[in-house]
Amino acid sequence: MDYPLLKLAAIDIGSNAVRCQISAVLHYGDRYRLKRVEYVRFPMRLGEDVFATGEISPAKADKFVKFLHALKLLMEVHEVAHYLICATSAMRMSTNAAAIVERVQHELGMTIQVIDGQAEAAYINRVIEYLLEDKKHYLHIDVGGGSTEFNIYHDRRKVASQSFEVGSIRRMQQEEGVKSDDSLNEKWLRMEEWVKENARRYHVTQAIGTGGNINKIYSIAQPSLDQPVSRRRIASVLQQLGKMTMDERVNVAMLNPDRADVIVPAGQIYLSAMEWANINTMQVPDIGLKDGMLQALFEDHFEEIRPASDHSGRKPITQVQARAREIE
């Protein structure tokens, strides 16, 4: 039976991977939900080029355009009604990003929005807010390949936020000596100072972690269903992975190669932030930038989406997945 569903899509162009999620809008009674029907992730690793040379190589640019073409066809097959494409740290820093964005527009008719750290945090905030409880104070940590975003919520209200150009790929390249970057050490110190000061000011007691690496660490840590993971357990997982060779991480820990080399540098950012804020546990919901983008699409096009039978006039509320899933 052909059952019509309106679908939305979000394409998140990160420094490590490009992700596309297509979700169907479900409506029953007075409740709306966004149900994932398709998810594609490809390790494009734009940050490897940009953080080492300052630009995206011609070969990688060609592959990037080809992959977006594939996503365009996928969205056409799904008959997606509206989509949004956002690029983050690597594209922000690349000297030839504007040319690539123009090429994608010319060849594919797809518009890429290169967003800053504050806009990235604002998108994630659209779905994080559904997880917060009254009279509790949270530090939200989102680590990408090229940057880390922090948000502090005090009694369900965001009171402070900051983006730092410190991410898993940058840290990995520094540790491997691919690129000597003294400014990264300075950024690390500023990041530490910011977290300590604001965690103390707003009496933060709980952490929320988002991003592919913390989801993978969470799945390895294997806490009870929907339970927070402890700082001690995160440290144990990182120590375990740190002792492994790349071959062991791929073939024994079953990590994809593009996850295996960045998971420890990324994990150290989460762990350090928890230590600076003196927080012992972290909640790891299965949400990220793409989910915030889908929520934004949902809200922006709500009048079109809302069926004629819905006369409630209520603000649309979508379901947030709080259960961490295994994400490569």
Side-chain angles (χ1 to χ4, degrees):
M1 181 179 70
D2 186 18
Y3 188 88
L5 288 173
L6 187 141
K7 297 175 184 177
L8 307 173
I11 299 176
D12 166 14
I13 303 169
S15 301
N16 192 40
V18 177
R19 301 170 180 83
C20 174
Q21 180 168 318
I22 299 174
S23 291
V25 179
L26 305 183
H27 174 241
Y28 189 78
D30 62 352
R31 185 182 184 187
Y32 292 86
R33 294 171 57 199
L34 292 175
K35 180 180 184 297
R36 180 161 74 176
V37 295
E38 191 79 68
Y39 177 73
V40 180
R41 176 186 182 276
F42 184 78
M44 191 64 63
R45 309 215 86 168
L46 299 177
E48 268 190 342
D49 285 2
V50 176
F51 306 142
T53 68
E55 65 178 18
I56 298 168
S57 68
K60 189 155 290 186
D62 289 343
K63 182 179 289 188
F64 174 67
V65 174
K66 186 178 294 185
F67 183 62
L68 284 186
H69 188 199
L71 294 182
K72 180 180 181 180
L73 295 175
L74 181 65
M75 290 191 295
E76 288 178 0
V77 169
H78 273 281
E79 299 181 345
V80 167
H82 302 285
Y83 68 90
L84 182 62
I85 308 175
C86 290
T88 56
S89 183
M91 291 287 276
R92 286 198 297 266
M93 301 289 292
S94 177
T95 57
N96 61 342
I100 294 174
V101 168
E102 184 178 351
R103 176 183 171 186
V104 170
Q105 180 69 59
H106 176 72
E107 294 184 15
L108 304 177
M110 302 171 80
T111 301
I112 299 174
Q113 297 182 23
V114 181
I115 61 175
D116 60 21
Q118 294 302 312
E120 188 175 351
Y123 275 122
I124 299 174
N125 178 65
R126 288 174 179 262
V127 283
I128 285 289
E129 63 183 17
Y130 293 111
L131 302 176
L132 307 180
E133 298 180 34
D134 292 334
K135 302 186 184 306
K136 292 189 177 180
H137 316 310
Y138 302 85
L139 170 66
H140 170 228
I141 311 160
D142 184 78
V143 179
S147 65
T148 296
E149 273 64 52
F150 292 105
N151 298 286
I152 290 184
Y153 297 89
H154 189 271
D155 197 18
R156 298 182 67 91
R157 183 170 58 91
K158 185 160 75 170
V159 292
S161 65
Q162 188 65 49
S163 176
F164 294 90
E165 295 296 329
V166 179
S168 60
I169 293 180
R170 292 180 193 270
R171 291 277 294 173
M172 178 190 68
Q173 290 181 337
Q174 184 186 45
E175 291 173 2
E176 294 180 348
V178 173
K179 183 180 181 183
S180 178
D181 188 354
D182 292 335
S183 67
L184 194 62
N185 294 326
E186 297 174 7
K187 293 171 185 174
W188 183 269
L189 293 174
R190 290 201 302 272
M191 189 164 69
E192 178 181 357
E193 181 181 356
W194 189 92
V195 171
K196 285 182 175 179
E197 178 184 345
N198 285 278
R200 181 174 59 253
R201 176 183 300 173
Y202 296 107
H203 310 290
V204 169
T205 58
Q206 301 188 48
I208 298 176
T210 55
N213 285 299
I214 194 62
N215 269 278
K216 175 53 69 175
I217 291 169
Y218 183 91
S219 70
I220 295 172
Q222 295 181 329
S224 300
L225 183 67
D226 285 337
Q227 294 300 307
V229 60
S230 70
R231 190 171 87 193
R232 179 180 297 180
R233 186 62 184 132
I234 292 173
S236 176
V237 170
L238 293 178
Q239 184 179 36
Q240 174 189 347
L241 292 172
K243 292 178 180 178
M244 292 182 173
T245 64
M246 269 293 292
D247 191 47
E248 290 171 332
R249 292 183 192 182
V250 171
N251 294 289
V252 178
M254 301 297 289
L255 300 177
N256 281 347
D258 69 291
R259 179 74 68 208
D261 57 356
V262 297
I263 191 168
V264 173
Q268 290 296 343
I269 299 175
Y270 290 103
L271 188 62
S272 296
M274 292 179 74
E275 291 172 351
W276 298 334
N278 196 27
I279 298 173
N280 293 318
T281 60
M282 175 182 286
Q283 184 179 351
V284 184
D286 181 29
I287 55 178
L289 175 60
K290 57 183 172 43
D291 301 281
M293 293 163 61
L294 286 164
Q295 177 69 18
L297 280 172
F298 178 80
E299 293 177 4
D300 290 345
H301 297 281
F302 181 60
E303 291 306 316
E304 171 192 337
I305 293 170
R306 180 167 58 182
S309 59
D310 180 9
H311 303 291
S312 64
R314 296 178 182 176
K315 178 184 176 182
I317 298 176
T318 57
Q319 180 183 18
V320 176
Q321 294 288 342
R323 174 73 182 108
R325 286 192 290 265
E326 195 163 317
I327 297 177
E328 286 291 351

